[in-house]
Amino acid sequence: MTEFPKTLEQAIAQAAVATSAAIADGYTRLQVELAIPELKPMSVAEQFLAEFTQFGSQLKVFFPDAGAAALARRDWGEVPFKIVDIGTRSPLEEKIEPEDGALLFVSPSAVEVERVEKLCELATCPTLMLNPRLEDVAIVGIGYAGRQLRTRFLNNIESCYYLRPIENISVFRSYPGEWQIWREVEEEFQLIAEQPTKPMGDEIDAILYGGTSQANTADAANASGSRKPGIFASMQRFLRTLSR
C-alpha cells in the first residue's frame, strides 16, 4: 500500500510512479489530480515531468493555448520533450505524430474538452491529463450531449493518482491501490476506509459518521475542532516556494 504523502514533492513523485505502473498495465487514458486550488499548474507540471522521464523526446506536453506553451518554453529552458498547445490555429491531425510515445495535457479545461477528446482519439500512445478541469457542467452540460461526452470519453479516463483535502480528511488514490479516506488526528493522517470506487459527497459522510454512536460522532467532531496543521500546512510552505 502506498503511504500517505507527507510533502508535495512526495505526492508528485508518487503520482509519477502510479502513472508509469498504470501505463505498464495497459491503460492508455489516464489522469493525475492534486486537487488543491492553490497549486500553480505549471509548477506542478514541471515537478511531475522531472519525475516522469521514461518517454524522453517521445513525450509531447500540451498546454491549453499558445501563450501558456510559450511561457513554459521560456521558463523551463532546454527540455528533452516537445511543448505544444492544444490551440485552434492548426488542424489537430498535425499535432499528432507517429513517433509520439505519450501525450501529457496540463490542466485542460472544459473549453478544450472536444479538442482534447479528438487528440486522444488520434493518438496511438498513452494520454495523460494532469490536474484536468474537463467537467465544468456550465460548459459540458447536463443534457444528452453532456451525458454522451461523459460516456464515450470522460468516464473512460483512469484516475491513477488522486489527492484531495476536505477539511480534516483527505480522499486519496495511488494506482494500483484502492480509493482511500484518511483523517487527520494530532498532526498525523490515519487510514479510516478504502474501497474500489471513488467516494463522493454523501458517501464520504456515511463512511465518516454513518452507523456510529452519538459518542463516536462527538469524538469525531472534537477531533475535527482540535486538529493541528498537518500535511497541507506543510504544503503551504512548498506552495510559497513554488510561487517565487
Side-chain angles (χ1 to χ4, degrees), residues 33-66:
E33 293 179 88
L34 299 171
I36 305 168
E38 295 83 359
L39 292 180
K40 296 181 180 296
M42 195 167 295
S43 296
V44 173
E46 184 176 17
Q47 290 192 55
F48 179 83
L49 288 164
E51 301 283 347
F52 188 69
T53 59
Q54 66 265 46
F55 289 99
S57 62
Q58 292 183 307
L59 174 64
K60 186 171 289 181
V61 179
F62 283 87
F63 283 88
D65 55 61

PDB file of all heavy atoms in Angstrom, residues 33-66:
ATOM      1  N   GLU A  33      -4.634  13.915 -10.422  1.00  0.00           N
ATOM      2  CA  GLU A  33      -5.294  15.081  -9.831  1.00  0.00           C
ATOM      3  C   GLU A  33      -4.737  15.363  -8.443  1.00  0.00           C
ATOM      4  O   GLU A  33      -4.890  14.547  -7.532  1.00  0.00           O
ATOM      5  CB  GLU A  33      -6.805  14.854  -9.731  1.00  0.00           C
ATOM      6  CG  GLU A  33      -7.516  14.774 -11.064  1.00  0.00           C
ATOM      7  CD  GLU A  33      -8.999  14.530 -10.886  1.00  0.00           C
ATOM      8  OE1 GLU A  33      -9.751  15.517 -10.752  1.00  0.00           O
ATOM      9  OE2 GLU A  33      -9.406  13.353 -10.855  1.00  0.00           O
ATOM     10  N   LEU A  34      -4.080  16.492  -8.295  1.00  0.00           N
ATOM     11  CA  LEU A  34      -3.732  17.035  -6.991  1.00  0.00           C
ATOM     12  C   LEU A  34      -4.718  18.177  -6.775  1.00  0.00           C
ATOM     13  O   LEU A  34      -4.470  19.313  -7.182  1.00  0.00           O
ATOM     14  CB  LEU A  34      -2.282  17.521  -6.988  1.00  0.00           C
ATOM     15  CG  LEU A  34      -1.235  16.437  -7.264  1.00  0.00           C
ATOM     16  CD1 LEU A  34       0.139  17.055  -7.464  1.00  0.00           C
ATOM     17  CD2 LEU A  34      -1.189  15.419  -6.144  1.00  0.00           C
ATOM     18  N   ALA A  35      -5.848  17.841  -6.193  1.00  0.00           N
ATOM     19  CA  ALA A  35      -6.992  18.760  -6.136  1.00  0.00           C
ATOM     20  C   ALA A  35      -6.830  19.758  -4.991  1.00  0.00           C
ATOM     21  O   ALA A  35      -7.585  19.757  -4.014  1.00  0.00           O
ATOM     22  CB  ALA A  35      -8.289  17.967  -6.000  1.00  0.00           C
ATOM     23  N   ILE A  36      -5.837  20.615  -5.132  1.00  0.00           N
ATOM     24  CA  ILE A  36      -5.528  21.647  -4.145  1.00  0.00           C
ATOM     25  C   ILE A  36      -5.517  22.973  -4.895  1.00  0.00           C
ATOM     26  O   ILE A  36      -4.613  23.227  -5.703  1.00  0.00           O
ATOM     27  CB  ILE A  36      -4.166  21.389  -3.483  1.00  0.00           C
ATOM     28  CG1 ILE A  36      -4.138  19.973  -2.887  1.00  0.00           C
ATOM     29  CG2 ILE A  36      -3.874  22.429  -2.403  1.00  0.00           C
ATOM     30  CD1 ILE A  36      -2.763  19.510  -2.473  1.00  0.00           C
ATOM     31  N   PRO A  37      -6.526  23.818  -4.705  1.00  0.00           N
ATOM     32  CA  PRO A  37      -6.698  25.009  -5.548  1.00  0.00           C
ATOM     33  C   PRO A  37      -5.479  25.915  -5.616  1.00  0.00           C
ATOM     34  O   PRO A  37      -5.238  26.558  -6.630  1.00  0.00           O
ATOM     35  CB  PRO A  37      -7.888  25.734  -4.890  1.00  0.00           C
ATOM     36  CG  PRO A  37      -8.641  24.653  -4.184  1.00  0.00           C
ATOM     37  CD  PRO A  37      -7.604  23.684  -3.700  1.00  0.00           C
ATOM     38  N   GLU A  38      -4.692  25.985  -4.531  1.00  0.00           N
ATOM     39  CA  GLU A  38      -3.573  26.921  -4.510  1.00  0.00           C
ATOM     40  C   GLU A  38      -2.422  26.518  -5.427  1.00  0.00           C
ATOM     41  O   GLU A  38      -1.539  27.340  -5.701  1.00  0.00           O
ATOM     42  CB  GLU A  38      -3.046  27.067  -3.076  1.00  0.00           C
ATOM     43  CG  GLU A  38      -4.027  27.686  -2.091  1.00  0.00           C
ATOM     44  CD  GLU A  38      -5.008  26.663  -1.522  1.00  0.00           C
ATOM     45  OE1 GLU A  38      -4.934  25.478  -1.912  1.00  0.00           O
ATOM     46  OE2 GLU A  38      -5.859  27.057  -0.708  1.00  0.00           O
ATOM     47  N   LEU A  39      -2.391  25.292  -5.871  1.00  0.00           N
ATOM     48  CA  LEU A  39      -1.271  24.834  -6.680  1.00  0.00           C
ATOM     49  C   LEU A  39      -1.251  25.535  -8.035  1.00  0.00           C
ATOM     50  O   LEU A  39      -2.281  25.702  -8.678  1.00  0.00           O
ATOM     51  CB  LEU A  39      -1.349  23.320  -6.894  1.00  0.00           C
ATOM     52  CG  LEU A  39      -1.136  22.439  -5.673  1.00  0.00           C
ATOM     53  CD1 LEU A  39      -1.254  20.970  -6.058  1.00  0.00           C
ATOM     54  CD2 LEU A  39       0.219  22.705  -5.042  1.00  0.00           C
ATOM     55  N   LYS A  40      -0.058  25.900  -8.470  1.00  0.00           N
ATOM     56  CA  LYS A  40       0.109  26.512  -9.788  1.00  0.00           C
ATOM     57  C   LYS A  40       0.362  25.413 -10.812  1.00  0.00           C
ATOM     58  O   LYS A  40       1.324  24.636 -10.676  1.00  0.00           O
ATOM     59  CB  LYS A  40       1.278  27.503  -9.758  1.00  0.00           C
ATOM     60  CG  LYS A  40       1.044  28.694  -8.828  1.00  0.00           C
ATOM     61  CD  LYS A  40       2.219  29.642  -8.871  1.00  0.00           C
ATOM     62  CE  LYS A  40       1.979  30.827  -7.935  1.00  0.00           C
ATOM     63  NZ  LYS A  40       0.832  31.641  -8.360  1.00  0.00           N
ATOM     64  N   PRO A  41      -0.492  25.296 -11.842  1.00  0.00           N
ATOM     65  CA  PRO A  41      -0.383  24.181 -12.800  1.00  0.00           C
ATOM     66  C   PRO A  41       1.000  24.013 -13.413  1.00  0.00           C
ATOM     67  O   PRO A  41       1.492  22.893 -13.539  1.00  0.00           O
ATOM     68  CB  PRO A  41      -1.431  24.536 -13.863  1.00  0.00           C
ATOM     69  CG  PRO A  41      -2.417  25.395 -13.162  1.00  0.00           C
ATOM     70  CD  PRO A  41      -1.618  26.187 -12.174  1.00  0.00           C
ATOM     71  N   MET A  42       1.650  25.122 -13.788  1.00  0.00           N
ATOM     72  CA  MET A  42       2.933  24.996 -14.474  1.00  0.00           C
ATOM     73  C   MET A  42       4.020  24.476 -13.533  1.00  0.00           C
ATOM     74  O   MET A  42       4.880  23.678 -13.937  1.00  0.00           O
ATOM     75  CB  MET A  42       3.348  26.324 -15.093  1.00  0.00           C
ATOM     76  CG  MET A  42       4.466  26.183 -16.112  1.00  0.00           C
ATOM     77  SD  MET A  42       4.719  27.666 -17.116  1.00  0.00           S
ATOM     78  CE  MET A  42       3.171  27.749 -18.012  1.00  0.00           C
ATOM     79  N   SER A  43       3.982  24.900 -12.270  1.00  0.00           N
ATOM     80  CA  SER A  43       4.970  24.424 -11.308  1.00  0.00           C
ATOM     81  C   SER A  43       4.789  22.938 -11.033  1.00  0.00           C
ATOM     82  O   SER A  43       5.759  22.193 -10.938  1.00  0.00           O
ATOM     83  CB  SER A  43       4.863  25.214 -10.004  1.00  0.00           C
ATOM     84  OG  SER A  43       5.186  26.574 -10.204  1.00  0.00           O
ATOM     85  N   VAL A  44       3.530  22.511 -10.891  1.00  0.00           N
ATOM     86  CA  VAL A  44       3.249  21.090 -10.674  1.00  0.00           C
ATOM     87  C   VAL A  44       3.707  20.285 -11.882  1.00  0.00           C
ATOM     88  O   VAL A  44       4.336  19.227 -11.751  1.00  0.00           O
ATOM     89  CB  VAL A  44       1.753  20.869 -10.409  1.00  0.00           C
ATOM     90  CG1 VAL A  44       1.430  19.372 -10.357  1.00  0.00           C
ATOM     91  CG2 VAL A  44       1.339  21.526  -9.103  1.00  0.00           C
ATOM     92  N   ALA A  45       3.407  20.780 -13.079  1.00  0.00           N
ATOM     93  CA  ALA A  45       3.808  20.075 -14.302  1.00  0.00           C
ATOM     94  C   ALA A  45       5.320  19.946 -14.384  1.00  0.00           C
ATOM     95  O   ALA A  45       5.850  18.881 -14.750  1.00  0.00           O
ATOM     96  CB  ALA A  45       3.264  20.805 -15.527  1.00  0.00           C
ATOM     97  N   GLU A  46       6.036  21.012 -14.036  1.00  0.00           N
ATOM     98  CA  GLU A  46       7.496  20.971 -14.110  1.00  0.00           C
ATOM     99  C   GLU A  46       8.052  19.906 -13.169  1.00  0.00           C
ATOM    100  O   GLU A  46       8.953  19.134 -13.543  1.00  0.00           O
ATOM    101  CB  GLU A  46       8.072  22.347 -13.762  1.00  0.00           C
ATOM    102  CG  GLU A  46       9.578  22.418 -13.914  1.00  0.00           C
ATOM    103  CD  GLU A  46      10.115  23.814 -13.649  1.00  0.00           C
ATOM    104  OE1 GLU A  46       9.396  24.636 -13.040  1.00  0.00           O
ATOM    105  OE2 GLU A  46      11.271  24.087 -14.037  1.00  0.00           O
ATOM    106  N   GLN A  47       7.522  19.853 -11.946  1.00  0.00           N
ATOM    107  CA  GLN A  47       7.990  18.849 -10.995  1.00  0.00           C
ATOM    108  C   GLN A  47       7.609  17.441 -11.434  1.00  0.00           C
ATOM    109  O   GLN A  47       8.401  16.498 -11.313  1.00  0.00           O
ATOM    110  CB  GLN A  47       7.425  19.128  -9.607  1.00  0.00           C
ATOM    111  CG  GLN A  47       8.000  20.366  -8.947  1.00  0.00           C
ATOM    112  CD  GLN A  47       7.643  20.432  -7.478  1.00  0.00           C
ATOM    113  OE1 GLN A  47       7.905  19.518  -6.719  1.00  0.00           O
ATOM    114  NE2 GLN A  47       7.016  21.527  -7.083  1.00  0.00           N
ATOM    115  N   PHE A  48       6.387  17.285 -11.940  1.00  0.00           N
ATOM    116  CA  PHE A  48       5.932  15.971 -12.387  1.00  0.00           C
ATOM    117  C   PHE A  48       6.806  15.466 -13.535  1.00  0.00           C
ATOM    118  O   PHE A  48       7.222  14.307 -13.550  1.00  0.00           O
ATOM    119  CB  PHE A  48       4.470  16.042 -12.824  1.00  0.00           C
ATOM    120  CG  PHE A  48       3.926  14.720 -13.319  1.00  0.00           C
ATOM    121  CD1 PHE A  48       3.452  13.777 -12.432  1.00  0.00           C
ATOM    122  CD2 PHE A  48       3.906  14.439 -14.678  1.00  0.00           C
ATOM    123  CE1 PHE A  48       2.963  12.550 -12.884  1.00  0.00           C
ATOM    124  CE2 PHE A  48       3.417  13.218 -15.140  1.00  0.00           C
ATOM    125  CZ  PHE A  48       2.946  12.280 -14.239  1.00  0.00           C
ATOM    126  N   LEU A  49       7.107  16.323 -14.476  1.00  0.00           N
ATOM    127  CA  LEU A  49       7.903  15.932 -15.640  1.00  0.00           C
ATOM    128  C   LEU A  49       9.330  15.566 -15.250  1.00  0.00           C
ATOM    129  O   LEU A  49       9.974  14.746 -15.910  1.00  0.00           O
ATOM    130  CB  LEU A  49       7.901  17.051 -16.675  1.00  0.00           C
ATOM    131  CG  LEU A  49       6.561  17.224 -17.404  1.00  0.00           C
ATOM    132  CD1 LEU A  49       6.495  18.563 -18.109  1.00  0.00           C
ATOM    133  CD2 LEU A  49       6.351  16.086 -18.401  1.00  0.00           C
ATOM    134  N   ALA A  50       9.822  16.162 -14.162  1.00  0.00           N
ATOM    135  CA  ALA A  50      11.152  15.801 -13.681  1.00  0.00           C
ATOM    136  C   ALA A  50      11.184  14.371 -13.160  1.00  0.00           C
ATOM    137  O   ALA A  50      12.236  13.718 -13.153  1.00  0.00           O
ATOM    138  CB  ALA A  50      11.598  16.774 -12.588  1.00  0.00           C
ATOM    139  N   GLU A  51      10.016  13.868 -12.720  1.00  0.00           N
ATOM    140  CA  GLU A  51       9.914  12.504 -12.210  1.00  0.00           C
ATOM    141  C   GLU A  51       9.489  11.521 -13.301  1.00  0.00           C
ATOM    142  O   GLU A  51       9.804  10.334 -13.245  1.00  0.00           O
ATOM    143  CB  GLU A  51       8.887  12.456 -11.062  1.00  0.00           C
ATOM    144  CG  GLU A  51       9.191  13.358  -9.883  1.00  0.00           C
ATOM    145  CD  GLU A  51      10.277  12.819  -8.982  1.00  0.00           C
ATOM    146  OE1 GLU A  51      10.631  11.628  -9.123  1.00  0.00           O
ATOM    147  OE2 GLU A  51      10.777  13.590  -8.137  1.00  0.00           O
ATOM    148  N   PHE A  52       8.773  12.024 -14.292  1.00  0.00           N
ATOM    149  CA  PHE A  52       8.177  11.179 -15.332  1.00  0.00           C
ATOM    150  C   PHE A  52       9.031  11.293 -16.587  1.00  0.00           C
ATOM    151  O   PHE A  52       8.733  12.054 -17.494  1.00  0.00           O
ATOM    152  CB  PHE A  52       6.742  11.654 -15.587  1.00  0.00           C
ATOM    153  CG  PHE A  52       5.928  10.773 -16.486  1.00  0.00           C
ATOM    154  CD1 PHE A  52       5.519   9.517 -16.079  1.00  0.00           C
ATOM    155  CD2 PHE A  52       5.552  11.209 -17.740  1.00  0.00           C
ATOM    156  CE1 PHE A  52       4.758   8.712 -16.907  1.00  0.00           C
ATOM    157  CE2 PHE A  52       4.785  10.420 -18.586  1.00  0.00           C
ATOM    158  CZ  PHE A  52       4.389   9.167 -18.166  1.00  0.00           C
ATOM    159  N   THR A  53      10.118  10.530 -16.638  1.00  0.00           N
ATOM    160  CA  THR A  53      11.156  10.761 -17.643  1.00  0.00           C
ATOM    161  C   THR A  53      11.298   9.653 -18.679  1.00  0.00           C
ATOM    162  O   THR A  53      12.101   9.796 -19.612  1.00  0.00           O
ATOM    163  CB  THR A  53      12.522  10.936 -16.947  1.00  0.00           C
ATOM    164  OG1 THR A  53      12.810   9.749 -16.185  1.00  0.00           O
ATOM    165  CG2 THR A  53      12.502  12.133 -16.008  1.00  0.00           C
ATOM    166  N   GLN A  54      10.529   8.568 -18.554  1.00  0.00           N
ATOM    167  CA  GLN A  54      10.845   7.397 -19.375  1.00  0.00           C
ATOM    168  C   GLN A  54      10.596   7.585 -20.868  1.00  0.00           C
ATOM    169  O   GLN A  54      11.157   6.853 -21.691  1.00  0.00           O
ATOM    170  CB  GLN A  54      10.075   6.157 -18.886  1.00  0.00           C
ATOM    171  CG  GLN A  54       8.568   6.216 -19.035  1.00  0.00           C
ATOM    172  CD  GLN A  54       7.880   6.693 -17.788  1.00  0.00           C
ATOM    173  OE1 GLN A  54       8.297   7.674 -17.193  1.00  0.00           O
ATOM    174  NE2 GLN A  54       6.824   6.011 -17.399  1.00  0.00           N
ATOM    175  N   PHE A  55       9.795   8.568 -21.260  1.00  0.00           N
ATOM    176  CA  PHE A  55       9.488   8.735 -22.679  1.00  0.00           C
ATOM    177  C   PHE A  55      10.439   9.684 -23.396  1.00  0.00           C
ATOM    178  O   PHE A  55      10.462   9.732 -24.629  1.00  0.00           O
ATOM    179  CB  PHE A  55       8.039   9.194 -22.858  1.00  0.00           C
ATOM    180  CG  PHE A  55       7.039   8.123 -22.539  1.00  0.00           C
ATOM    181  CD1 PHE A  55       6.401   8.091 -21.315  1.00  0.00           C
ATOM    182  CD2 PHE A  55       6.755   7.122 -23.456  1.00  0.00           C
ATOM    183  CE1 PHE A  55       5.483   7.104 -21.010  1.00  0.00           C
ATOM    184  CE2 PHE A  55       5.836   6.115 -23.166  1.00  0.00           C
ATOM    185  CZ  PHE A  55       5.196   6.107 -21.932  1.00  0.00           C
ATOM    186  N   GLY A  56      11.212  10.460 -22.662  1.00  0.00           N
ATOM    187  CA  GLY A  56      12.215  11.327 -23.273  1.00  0.00           C
ATOM    188  C   GLY A  56      11.650  12.205 -24.375  1.00  0.00           C
ATOM    189  O   GLY A  56      10.635  12.890 -24.205  1.00  0.00           O
ATOM    190  N   SER A  57      12.306  12.199 -25.538  1.00  0.00           N
ATOM    191  CA  SER A  57      11.889  13.046 -26.651  1.00  0.00           C
ATOM    192  C   SER A  57      10.578  12.601 -27.289  1.00  0.00           C
ATOM    193  O   SER A  57      10.009  13.330 -28.105  1.00  0.00           O
ATOM    194  CB  SER A  57      12.987  13.065 -27.720  1.00  0.00           C
ATOM    195  OG  SER A  57      13.201  11.757 -28.232  1.00  0.00           O
ATOM    196  N   GLN A  58      10.080  11.420 -26.906  1.00  0.00           N
ATOM    197  CA  GLN A  58       8.809  10.937 -27.459  1.00  0.00           C
ATOM    198  C   GLN A  58       7.607  11.437 -26.665  1.00  0.00           C
ATOM    199  O   GLN A  58       6.470  11.144 -27.020  1.00  0.00           O
ATOM    200  CB  GLN A  58       8.804   9.411 -27.502  1.00  0.00           C
ATOM    201  CG  GLN A  58       9.779   8.824 -28.507  1.00  0.00           C
ATOM    202  CD  GLN A  58       9.690   7.317 -28.565  1.00  0.00           C
ATOM    203  OE1 GLN A  58       9.790   6.621 -27.553  1.00  0.00           O
ATOM    204  NE2 GLN A  58       9.474   6.798 -29.756  1.00  0.00           N
ATOM    205  N   LEU A  59       7.868  12.204 -25.602  1.00  0.00           N
ATOM    206  CA  LEU A  59       6.786  12.801 -24.827  1.00  0.00           C
ATOM    207  C   LEU A  59       6.417  14.149 -25.432  1.00  0.00           C
ATOM    208  O   LEU A  59       7.290  14.951 -25.755  1.00  0.00           O
ATOM    209  CB  LEU A  59       7.213  12.985 -23.372  1.00  0.00           C
ATOM    210  CG  LEU A  59       6.238  13.735 -22.455  1.00  0.00           C
ATOM    211  CD1 LEU A  59       4.932  12.954 -22.293  1.00  0.00           C
ATOM    212  CD2 LEU A  59       6.877  14.002 -21.096  1.00  0.00           C
ATOM    213  N   LYS A  60       5.128  14.406 -25.556  1.00  0.00           N
ATOM    214  CA  LYS A  60       4.642  15.694 -26.064  1.00  0.00           C
ATOM    215  C   LYS A  60       3.730  16.303 -24.998  1.00  0.00           C
ATOM    216  O   LYS A  60       2.767  15.680 -24.565  1.00  0.00           O
ATOM    217  CB  LYS A  60       3.891  15.506 -27.378  1.00  0.00           C
ATOM    218  CG  LYS A  60       3.483  16.807 -28.056  1.00  0.00           C
ATOM    219  CD  LYS A  60       2.930  16.529 -29.458  1.00  0.00           C
ATOM    220  CE  LYS A  60       4.035  16.101 -30.410  1.00  0.00           C
ATOM    221  NZ  LYS A  60       3.512  15.856 -31.777  1.00  0.00           N
ATOM    222  N   VAL A  61       4.062  17.527 -24.570  1.00  0.00           N
ATOM    223  CA  VAL A  61       3.331  18.195 -23.497  1.00  0.00           C
ATOM    224  C   VAL A  61       2.448  19.282 -24.095  1.00  0.00           C
ATOM    225  O   VAL A  61       2.935  20.201 -24.757  1.00  0.00           O
ATOM    226  CB  VAL A  61       4.302  18.801 -22.462  1.00  0.00           C
ATOM    227  CG1 VAL A  61       3.528  19.517 -21.355  1.00  0.00           C
ATOM    228  CG2 VAL A  61       5.194  17.705 -21.873  1.00  0.00           C
ATOM    229  N   PHE A  62       1.143  19.189 -23.855  1.00  0.00           N
ATOM    230  CA  PHE A  62       0.165  20.133 -24.396  1.00  0.00           C
ATOM    231  C   PHE A  62      -0.285  21.117 -23.325  1.00  0.00           C
ATOM    232  O   PHE A  62      -0.669  20.723 -22.218  1.00  0.00           O
ATOM    233  CB  PHE A  62      -1.078  19.394 -24.906  1.00  0.00           C
ATOM    234  CG  PHE A  62      -0.900  18.709 -26.237  1.00  0.00           C
ATOM    235  CD1 PHE A  62      -0.393  17.417 -26.312  1.00  0.00           C
ATOM    236  CD2 PHE A  62      -1.266  19.347 -27.418  1.00  0.00           C
ATOM    237  CE1 PHE A  62      -0.240  16.784 -27.522  1.00  0.00           C
ATOM    238  CE2 PHE A  62      -1.111  18.715 -28.638  1.00  0.00           C
ATOM    239  CZ  PHE A  62      -0.597  17.424 -28.696  1.00  0.00           C
ATOM    240  N   PHE A  63      -0.278  22.403 -23.674  1.00  0.00           N
ATOM    241  CA  PHE A  63      -0.880  23.438 -22.848  1.00  0.00           C
ATOM    242  C   PHE A  63      -2.150  23.946 -23.548  1.00  0.00           C
ATOM    243  O   PHE A  63      -2.289  23.812 -24.772  1.00  0.00           O
ATOM    244  CB  PHE A  63       0.101  24.588 -22.627  1.00  0.00           C
ATOM    245  CG  PHE A  63       1.165  24.270 -21.614  1.00  0.00           C
ATOM    246  CD1 PHE A  63       2.350  23.664 -21.996  1.00  0.00           C
ATOM    247  CD2 PHE A  63       0.964  24.553 -20.278  1.00  0.00           C
ATOM    248  CE1 PHE A  63       3.329  23.351 -21.064  1.00  0.00           C
ATOM    249  CE2 PHE A  63       1.927  24.249 -19.333  1.00  0.00           C
ATOM    250  CZ  PHE A  63       3.110  23.644 -19.727  1.00  0.00           C
ATOM    251  N   PRO A  64      -3.085  24.536 -22.796  1.00  0.00           N
ATOM    252  CA  PRO A  64      -4.359  24.948 -23.403  1.00  0.00           C
ATOM    253  C   PRO A  64      -4.222  25.945 -24.544  1.00  0.00           C
ATOM    254  O   PRO A  64      -5.031  25.942 -25.465  1.00  0.00           O
ATOM    255  CB  PRO A  64      -5.131  25.554 -22.218  1.00  0.00           C
ATOM    256  CG  PRO A  64      -4.567  24.869 -21.019  1.00  0.00           C
ATOM    257  CD  PRO A  64      -3.102  24.686 -21.338  1.00  0.00           C
ATOM    258  N   ASP A  65      -3.219  26.829 -24.479  1.00  0.00           N
ATOM    259  CA  ASP A  65      -3.097  27.857 -25.524  1.00  0.00           C
ATOM    260  C   ASP A  65      -1.634  28.146 -25.813  1.00  0.00           C
ATOM    261  O   ASP A  65      -0.732  27.711 -25.094  1.00  0.00           O
ATOM    262  CB  ASP A  65      -3.829  29.138 -25.110  1.00  0.00           C
ATOM    263  CG  ASP A  65      -3.358  29.676 -23.770  1.00  0.00           C
ATOM    264  OD1 ASP A  65      -2.172  30.005 -23.653  1.00  0.00           O
ATOM    265  OD2 ASP A  65      -4.184  29.736 -22.838  1.00  0.00           O
ATOM    266  N   ALA A  66      -1.412  28.897 -26.889  1.00  0.00           N
ATOM    267  CA  ALA A  66      -0.051  29.191 -27.333  1.00  0.00           C
ATOM    268  C   ALA A  66       0.720  30.017 -26.311  1.00  0.00           C
ATOM    269  O   ALA A  66       1.931  29.848 -26.155  1.00  0.00           O
ATOM    270  CB  ALA A  66      -0.098  29.932 -28.672  1.00  0.00           C
TER     271      ALA A  66
END
